[in-house]
Amino acid sequence: MTRETDSTRAGAAAPPPIAFVEPWEYELHFPRDPRAPGIARTTLRAVLDAHGLGELVDRAELLASELATNSVRHTKGPASVRLRWMCPVLRVSVSDSSPVFPLEVPAATAWDAEGGRGLAILELVADQWGGCCLDEKLFGTGGKTIWFELRTGRGGPDAPPTPPAAAALAA
């Protein structure tokens, strides 16, 4: 016996994207598990598609996957991914329990290297990025947050243009 869902009934169309009249935020917590970056990518895609932000999905998935993978590989505890929309900017933050902050963007990293390209990819693809260490005394757990921002082309008259490198990758 199969279960009929709303979307499979008599030609029902998919629901329209959720309007983003006001800012919104989603957060996903995950354990130190090699499946976590894939789950983060799937969740991110579902949220952005639901909000009609498909133009940001590829870049957001690439960068969030890179950061989530680093959290799983290089920390001993859980991590989280937070999506925050403030039209026309999406900020994605990945927080983990490691207080070790990544080094500066390397001057040159071989693109076929096993590692070390994460910050170079952030620098190339994100419209803006940064991070901060979380003080153990202040927040109770310590760790760090690395974030990036992606800007849509739907900004108002005050929105700065998309950087050329990001525009080339989005095309």
Side-chain angles (χ1 to χ4, degrees):
M1 181 174 163
T2 61
R3 186 174 159 203
E4 188 177 5
T5 63
D6 288 341
S7 62
T8 59
R9 288 189 191 125
I18 301 168
F20 51 87
V21 188
E22 295 189 24
W24 50 256
E25 190 170 307
Y26 291 83
E27 188 167 7
L28 171 68
H29 295 265
F30 54 90
R32 185 174 181 257
D33 181 311
R35 295 168 291 202
I39 293 167
R41 280 191 307 273
T42 301
T43 302
L44 183 142
R45 178 175 286 278
V47 169
L48 295 181
D49 284 344
H51 284 280
L53 295 169
E55 68 189 87
L56 298 178
V57 169
D58 291 337
R59 293 191 301 149
E61 271 187 327
L62 170 67
L63 297 175
S65 180
E66 182 68 34
L67 295 177
T69 299
N70 287 345
S71 288
V72 168
R73 281 188 183 163
H74 303 295
T75 67
K76 295 183 183 202
S80 65
V81 175
R82 175 179 286 164
L83 307 168
R84 184 166 190 235
W85 173 252
M86 297 279 298
C87 188
V89 176
L90 173 71
R91 177 177 275 206
V92 179
S93 307
V94 177
S95 300
D96 62 43
S97 59
S98 172
V100 178
F101 202 75
L103 302 173
E104 292 183 24
V105 177
T109 302
W111 290 105
D112 60 348
E114 290 284 323
R117 298 180 314 269
L119 294 182
I121 293 170
L122 269 173
E123 185 71 27
L124 180 65
V125 177
D127 294 326
Q128 251 187 313
W129 71 275
C132 61
C133 290
L134 305 174
D135 185 0
E136 187 171 338
K137 293 176 189 169
L138 190 61
F139 296 105
T141 59
K144 69 176 169 305
T145 297
I146 308 292
W147 57 266
F148 62 86
E149 291 182 348
L150 303 175
R151 185 175 292 277
T152 67
R154 331 176 169 176
D158 299 331
T162 301
L169 286 172

